[in-house]
Amino acid sequence: MQEILRSYGGLRDCINSTGAGKILCVHGRSFEKFTELQHVLDGLSIIHFTGFTPNPKIEDAEEAVRMCADCDCILAVGGGSAIDTAKYAKMKSPGIPLIAVPTTAGSGSEATRFAVLYEDGRKLSITDDSIIPDYVMFDPGLLKYLPEYHRKSSALDAMSHALESFWSVNATPESRRYSRSALSEITRMLDAYPASYDPARMLEASYTAGKAINISQTTAGHAMCYKITGIFGTAHGHSAAMCNRVLFRWLCENSGLPALDDIAGAMGCESKLEAAGKFAGIFSRLDMEIPKATDADIEALAGSVNPERLKNFPVRLSEAQIVELYREILDTKE
Ligand SMILES: [Fe+2]
């Protein structure tokens, strides 16, 4: 059972309780700014691992596994990439406790049994119950170091998790409770962004959306977004929302899925089409760009889609529909 920590005193006690003599700390460059967190680690034997990139590579994660060999605790401080790299190290070092300290509010990785890594540019989705972090530490103060673009992209990632989980074929009453709560909270915070953005509430909401996808998995939005990030370098949440702003309306027009009405209710809308419009409106109000794509890009994108994740989408999509959808997503429709 995962335990949530909300104070540095609690984190210190937690580390002490694991009896860790040596800790592998997986983190990015912002770590030097997290002084309060660093004080907690004073006097402990820490091995720092920073050798990973935004779309973490499997060979880098293997290096983390090697560095983990004589450690007895892993501390992951960062966004999805740091946490996923640490999750891989945990999978390869059975029994070792993992403490996740998210510094973005969006990936939800601290709540899930999934890790996304890349091998030769190909996405590997790792799913294993053993990699769910044992402890999660929430400090909303860490979010102030996040650049504006990443704050918005992360929030859109969390909103995409809540949406996709809601309409996933694997949704359960429990996952819907999580996605409903996350979706209404995130909609409120993004509808009047930045005035309404509250880091503490966004951390909780993105964690709740993570709990939802941990049960239901993500769907077409995520299956279709990875290659957009690969080609255009847009942040993951930006790419996922770019897809979902089209997929949401497409589902409203092409399915009578009852979940769409529940989604509208969670978003404070009268109808599903109004809710789809609200999602698209949030995307444009946050000033998220749509990259310029060529026909060759559309072809590469359509050929890249992960059929596994598409299976979770409530409507079966043909290859021709995927091409059409990508044209709409990237605004290349004549
Ligand atoms: Fe995501």
Side-chain angles (χ1 to χ4, degrees):
M1 194 58 188
Q2 190 178 61
E3 200 178 311
I4 305 287
L5 311 164
R6 294 177 200 281
S7 72
Y8 285 106
L11 178 63
R12 179 85 206 193
D13 292 345
C14 166
I15 292 172
N16 288 340
S17 74
T18 65
K22 203 183 254 187
I23 299 170
L24 178 73
C25 185
V26 180
H27 63 79
R29 275 177 316 208
S30 306
F31 185 76
E32 61 196 43
K33 298 175 188 148
F34 308 150
T35 46
E36 218 177 332
L37 174 57
Q38 287 180 41
H39 283 317
V40 171
L41 305 178
D42 280 350
L44 296 168
S45 172
I46 307 288
I47 296 186
H48 295 271
F49 179 75
T50 58
F52 63 92
T53 53
N55 299 303
K57 297 186 190 80
I58 193 97
E59 61 260 36
D60 295 337
E62 287 289 357
E63 178 61 21
V65 173
R66 278 189 287 278
M67 290 174 73
C68 197
D70 58 347
C71 293
D72 20 41
C73 178
I74 307 173
L75 180 66
V77 182
S81 305
I83 297 176
D84 285 5
T85 302
K87 280 162 120 174
Y88 185 79
K90 177 178 167 68
M91 187 172 77
K92 298 285 182 134
S93 322
I96 195 166
L98 168 62
I99 306 170
V101 186
T103 62
T104 69
S107 81
S109 180
E110 70 279 5
T112 72
R113 61 197 153 100
F114 314 121
V116 176
L117 295 164
Y118 288 79
E119 186 171 36
D120 303 326
R122 259 185 332 114
K123 180 186 163 227
L124 297 176
S125 299
I126 293 159
T127 303
D128 195 313
D129 283 332
S130 76
I131 64 175
I132 298 179
D134 303 275
Y135 304 91
V136 179
M137 160 80 194
F138 287 130
D139 173 11
L142 299 178
L143 263 64
K144 67 172 177 277
Y145 302 104
L146 195 60
E148 174 76 2
Y149 170 64
H150 289 289
R151 176 173 303 126
K152 294 190 290 191
S153 299
S154 305
L156 286 171
D157 189 20
M159 194 170 185
S160 293
H161 295 156
L163 263 187
E164 291 184 47
S165 175
F166 227 125
W167 64 51
S168 166
V169 296
N170 307 316
T172 65
E174 189 190 3
S175 74
R176 288 241 166 93
R177 268 200 305 281
Y178 292 135
S179 46
R180 189 174 296 118
S181 143
L183 189 56
S184 62
E185 184 78 337
I186 299 168
T187 304
R188 267 198 303 274
M189 272 188 275
L190 294 188
D191 209 18
Y193 185 92
S196 49
Y197 184 92
D198 176 330
R201 282 168 53 200
M202 187 56 88
L203 259 183
E204 299 282 347
S206 111
Y207 175 71
T208 306
K211 302 267 278 186
I213 54 165
N214 189 46
I215 297 171
S216 67
Q217 297 184 291
T218 52
T219 68
H222 271 65
M224 295 177 72
C225 80
Y226 282 94
K227 193 72 179 177
I228 295 185
T229 289
I231 295 180
F232 302 105
T234 42
H236 165 72
H238 177 184
S239 308
M242 208 188 298
C243 295
N244 281 324
R245 88 194 201 292
V246 169
L247 289 165
F248 192 174
R249 185 174 38 77
W250 189 91
L251 267 182
C252 292
E253 289 166 352
N254 293 281
S255 83
L257 203 69
L260 298 171
D261 301 314
D262 290 348
I263 290 175
M267 292 178 70
C269 295
E270 297 285 325
S271 72
K272 54 188 182 184
L273 271 170
E274 185 191 330
K278 192 169 202 165
F279 185 81
I282 286 173
F283 183 88
S284 4
R285 200 158 340 102
L286 293 184
D287 236 353
M288 303 313 274
E289 258 179 62
I290 297 180
K292 293 256 169 299
T294 61
D295 284 349
D297 292 331
I298 298 289
E299 202 178 310
L301 287 164
S304 75
V305 180
N306 172 353
E308 231 3 81
R309 284 288 189 269
L310 270 190
K311 278 192 206 147
N312 305 330
F313 195 59
V315 179
R316 205 182 154 74
L317 297 171
S318 68
E319 277 177 41
Q321 280 171 323
I322 291 171
V323 170
E324 273 308 285
L325 284 165
Y326 269 126
R327 289 205 174 280
E328 273 191 59
I329 289 164
L330 290 152
D331 278 348
T332 65
K333 267 194 130 166
E334 278 106 50

